[in-house]
Amino acid sequence: MQAGGWVPIDVHSPHSIELARFAVNEHNKEAHTHLKFERLVKGESQIVAGVNYRLTISATNGGLIQTYEALVYEGLDHKKVLKSFKVIHLETSDIPPIGGWTPIDVNSLQSIEVARFAVDEHNKEAHTHLKFNRLVSGESQIVTGVNYKLIIKAINEELIQTYEAHVFEALDGQRVLNSFKIIHLEISDIPPAGGWTPIDVNSLHSIELARFAVNEHNKKAHTHLKFERLVSGESQIVAGVNYKLIIKAINGELIQTYEARVFEALDGERVLNSFTVVITSDIPQPGGWQPVEDVKEVEGIGRFAVAEHNKEARTHLKFEGVLKGETQIVEGINYRLTIRAINGELIHNYEARVFKDLKGHKNLVSFHGTVA
């Protein structure tokens, strides 16, 4: 990448999102506003003596989602400066017409926050113990503030029920729950007692159970697995609920697949009954090179390679990312990675060989430039 040219960035990378959040937070400090970061829409970077970032950001302003352009400079010492922050367009689709009901994004942080508020507020008023499960659908209406009409799934003891909530959010962000009622209890929502029924792997409750299983296993087995995602799951109604979960978790640098059995009592208490590896195909076979499917899994190895090369060669490369990689099982693991790094004001590609022994110690075997 030539110095001075703008190049698209990965809007899903932790570094990009960190820059966008910084821009919103810094603008709030400077302008005494209360914007809430929603998502990074797109962005570009420009190599100078450091890096300029031009970011398009969605943020919540009161009850509205607006779009902003931020210009952030990050120096070679990683210090960030917000150069500018402005509304670039306020799309008609972002603003429900006054008095009219318009569908909302059920996956936005703002929408989920309003739905959780509705459940929590109902629990206080009705002395119930519902647990928020997910926001199914919703609409907003602009008045002097915003009205929300939400369809919510919540757990009532061991049953998932469907509710309709009406919430008003004032211009200062204060919320009031106007109504909360059950609208239907579908047979499909109730797993038959004794039978196994698939669960929604994207629901907060399901993910919470999976995280519990990994954390509890770490305590019992003195391991350091990191929860990756819930692949599939089933529930069984007994005097409480049994859960059979298929979980991906990171074990060292490898992602492995596990089956967990969790029991959740009527009072919400959970017990991990079993946790076992069920698929070993995620582990490369001894001697053979296997491609790394998700390069984010080996970013730690890539960073190590660049840092170690800097020490040995007295260079000042700045790690940018791993483009591709392979692993080979020996008495430990060999890594062959193609890495992108900044050298001065230019970005180059490098090939690194790293060996990691069975104790986790890493050694840089080779590091050299490749053709971009």
Side-chain angles (χ1 to χ4, degrees):
M1 182 170 67
Q2 298 300 315
W6 288 96
V7 177
I9 63 173
D10 177 6
V11 297
H12 302 295
S13 78
H15 183 246
S16 299
I17 293 170
E18 181 186 309
L19 285 163
R21 288 186 180 276
F22 164 81
V24 173
N25 294 337
E26 199 67 10
H27 174 72
N28 282 337
K29 292 177 190 173
E30 294 177 0
H32 306 291
T33 52
H34 301 282
L35 302 183
K36 291 181 182 177
F37 173 78
E38 188 68 23
R39 68 188 179 95
L40 176 58
V41 180
K42 63 180 180 178
E44 298 176 296
S45 65
Q46 178 193 47
I47 299 294
V48 287
V51 188
N52 283 324
Y53 292 92
R54 187 162 56 199
L55 311 172
T56 301
I57 299 167
S58 277
T60 306
N61 185 3
L64 301 178
I65 294 180
Q66 294 178 294
T67 308
Y68 301 85
E69 181 179 276
L71 187 61
V72 176
Y73 169 74
E74 185 175 44
L76 297 176
D77 57 359
H78 302 296
K79 288 187 178 178
K80 305 178 190 76
V81 178
L82 178 64
K83 294 290 189 180
S84 67
F85 194 96
K86 61 183 180 180
V87 175
I88 54 170
H89 60 82
L90 193 54
E91 296 176 354
T92 303
S93 59
D94 289 335
I95 312 174
I98 294 177
W101 288 96
T102 301
I104 61 174
D105 178 5
V106 296
N107 297 309
S108 77
L109 298 175
Q110 166 78 3
S111 301
I112 292 171
E113 191 179 299
V114 173
R116 286 184 176 279
F117 164 82
V119 173
D120 293 342
E121 198 68 9
H122 174 71
N123 282 337
K124 293 175 189 173
E125 294 177 1
H127 305 292
T128 52
H129 301 283
L130 301 182
K131 292 181 182 177
F132 174 78
N133 182 257
R134 66 188 177 95
L135 176 57
V136 179
S137 64
E139 297 177 294
S140 64
Q141 178 193 46
I142 298 294
V143 287
T144 308
V146 187
N147 283 323
Y148 291 93
K149 186 161 56 181
L150 310 172
I151 305 300
I152 298 167
K153 292 273 189 184
I155 301 170
N156 186 2
E157 294 185 342
E158 73 269 25
L159 301 179
I160 295 180
Q161 294 177 299
T162 309
Y163 301 85
E164 181 179 279
H166 284 236
V167 175
F168 171 71
E169 186 173 56
L171 296 176
D172 62 358
Q174 290 293 112
R175 297 181 184 129
V176 177
L177 177 65
N178 289 325
S179 68
F180 193 96
K181 62 181 181 180
I182 191 166
I183 55 171
H184 58 82
L185 184 57
E186 298 174 354
I187 298 299
S188 60
D189 288 335
I190 311 175
W196 288 96
T197 302
I199 62 174
D200 178 5
V201 295
N202 296 310
S203 79
L204 296 174
H205 183 248
S206 301
I207 293 171
E208 190 180 298
L209 284 163
R211 287 187 180 277
F212 164 81
V214 173
N215 293 338
E216 198 68 8
H217 175 72
N218 282 337
K219 291 177 191 174
K220 291 181 178 180
H222 305 294
T223 52
H224 302 283
L225 302 182
K226 294 179 183 178
F227 173 77
E228 180 71 13
R229 65 188 176 94
L230 176 58
V231 179
S232 64
E234 297 176 293
S235 64
Q236 177 193 47
I237 298 294
V238 287
V241 189
N242 283 322
Y243 292 92
K244 187 162 53 181
L245 310 172
I246 303 299
I247 298 168
K248 291 274 190 183
I250 301 172
N251 184 3
E253 298 294 335
L254 300 177
I255 292 184
Q256 294 179 288
T257 308
Y258 302 84
E259 180 182 276
R261 298 288 185 108
V262 176
F263 171 70
E264 187 173 50
L266 297 176
D267 61 0
E269 288 293 305
R270 297 177 185 137
V271 178
L272 178 65
N273 289 324
S274 68
F275 194 96
T276 55
V277 175
V278 291
I279 299 173
T280 57
S281 59
D282 291 330
I283 306 175
Q285 296 301 309
W289 286 97
Q290 299 290 329
V292 176
E293 293 184 6
D294 185 357
V295 294
K296 291 182 180 178
E297 296 171 21
V298 294
E299 278 195 349
I301 299 292
R303 289 183 184 279
F304 164 81
V306 172
E308 199 67 9
H309 175 72
N310 282 337
K311 291 178 191 174
E312 294 177 0
R314 298 183 181 179
T315 54
H316 301 281
L317 301 183
K318 181 182 175 184
F319 175 79
E320 185 72 11
V322 177
L323 301 180
K324 63 181 180 178
E326 296 177 296
T327 58
Q328 179 192 47
I329 299 295
V330 286
E331 289 294 321
I333 307 176
N334 283 322
Y335 293 89
R336 185 163 58 196
L337 307 177
T338 301
I339 295 170
R340 178 162 287 183
I342 300 173
N343 184 4
E345 296 185 353
L346 300 177
I347 290 183
H348 293 287
N349 293 344
Y350 301 86
E351 181 179 285
R353 298 284 188 103
V354 176
F355 172 69
K356 182 177 178 182
D357 66 24
L358 297 176
K359 294 182 180 179
H361 298 139
K362 296 186 283 286
N363 180 52
L364 180 63
V365 178
S366 66
F367 193 99
H368 59 83
T370 65
V371 177

